[in-house]
């Protein structure tokens, strides 16, 4: 049963997608190795997928954010360092076993509310260092996962210099 379901999925892949994969595999100019950031390679391939393992990364939420907000590195770094500074400034040294929660519940809630209020309109929290430039970066995405913002995604990718194919 499972084999027939998987086989049906294969049959639904368009011929153009199979041709593109065949052409790519026939002349791979990219190194794809887990854990390697691409150092030493002029070309890199990135297969975009959400990760529920540590670290948790929601790539498609990032793509959506990139399409609907003005995201830039300087702005993000400023937010990040400010946010981390706020979190580190909270004295939680008394956090011990769960039984202390009742004693300190008011403080916990106060800190949580403070952080929530301070960053409530921050685009990076709307849902809770390489020096080598690449000559070619191929990003493979699941078109179904960007369907609700497909046109904006294509527009954004083209605006930052990507050639968009097959979406």
């Amino acid at each position: 049963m499972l084999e027939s379901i998987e086989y049906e999925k294969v049959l639904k892949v368009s011929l153009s997608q199979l041709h593109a994969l065949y052409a790519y595999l026939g002349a791979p100019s990219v190194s794809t190795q887990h854990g390697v950031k691409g150092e030493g390679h002029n070309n890199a391939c990135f297969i975009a997928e959400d990760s529920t393992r540590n670290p948790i990364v929601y790539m498609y939420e990032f793509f959506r954010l990139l399409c609907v907000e003005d995201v830039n590195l300087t702005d993000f770094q400023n937010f990040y360092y400010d946010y981390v500074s706020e979190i580190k400034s909270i004295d939680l040294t008394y956090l011990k076993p769960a039984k202390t929660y009742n004693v300190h519940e008011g403080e916990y809630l106060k800190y949580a509310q403070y952080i929530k209020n301070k960053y409530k309109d921050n685009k990076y929290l709307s849902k809770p260092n390489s020096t080598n430039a690449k000559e070619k970066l191929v990003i493979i995405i699941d078109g179904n996962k960007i369907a609700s913002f497909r046109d904006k995604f294509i527009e954004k990718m083209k605006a930052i210099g990507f050639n968009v194919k097959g979406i």
Side-chain angles (χ1 to χ4, degrees):
M1 178 73 173
L2 180 61
E3 293 85 15
S4 64
I5 293 171
E6 292 299 316
Y7 186 69
E8 285 179 34
K9 289 180 182 178
V10 170
L11 290 176
K12 291 180 181 179
V13 174
S14 72
L15 189 55
S16 64
Q17 286 180 316
L18 287 175
H19 179 66
L21 177 62
Y22 177 78
Y24 171 75
L25 292 175
S29 58
V30 193
S31 173
T32 56
Q33 300 173 12
H34 291 282
V36 175
K37 305 286 186 270
E39 297 294 329
H41 299 281
N42 291 331
N43 302 319
C45 178
F46 173 71
I47 300 174
E49 53 187 16
D50 292 334
S51 169
T52 55
R53 287 188 249 156
N54 196 8
I56 296 173
V57 177
Y58 296 107
M59 285 306 306
Y60 290 94
E61 179 59 24
F62 168 74
F63 289 149
R64 186 203 61 75
L65 177 69
L66 184 64
C67 291
V68 300
E69 296 286 348
D70 180 26
V71 175
N72 65 70
L73 182 58
T74 302
D75 182 46
F76 181 77
Q77 283 182 318
N78 290 338
F79 152 72
Y80 174 78
Y81 290 117
D82 183 54
Y83 186 78
V84 168
S85 176
E86 286 290 345
I87 297 298
K88 286 182 176 181
S89 73
I90 299 171
D91 178 20
L92 299 177
T93 56
Y94 50 80
L95 288 178
K96 300 282 188 252
K99 65 182 178 183
T100 65
Y101 177 81
N102 289 338
V103 175
H104 299 286
E105 180 180 11
E107 279 185 86
Y108 296 155
L109 294 175
K110 180 182 82 171
Y111 288 138
Q113 191 62 49
Y114 169 77
I115 296 295
K116 181 180 175 185
N117 289 339
K118 179 165 184 172
Y119 297 100
K120 70 179 165 85
D121 295 324
N122 188 286
K123 61 188 167 194
Y124 300 116
L125 290 178
S126 64
K127 302 228 176 195
N129 202 359
S130 169
T131 58
N132 293 339
K134 302 294 167 215
E135 291 178 17
K136 183 175 183 181
L137 172 61
V138 176
I139 299 177
I140 300 172
I141 62 155
D142 181 343
N144 293 324
K145 291 184 178 177
I146 64 157
S148 65
F149 56 95
R150 179 186 179 278
D151 293 339
K152 287 183 178 181
F153 180 80
I154 292 171
E155 181 183 318
K156 179 59 93 170
M157 292 298 106
K158 287 181 177 180
I160 59 177
F162 282 93
N163 294 321
V164 179
K165 298 179 183 177
I167 295 182

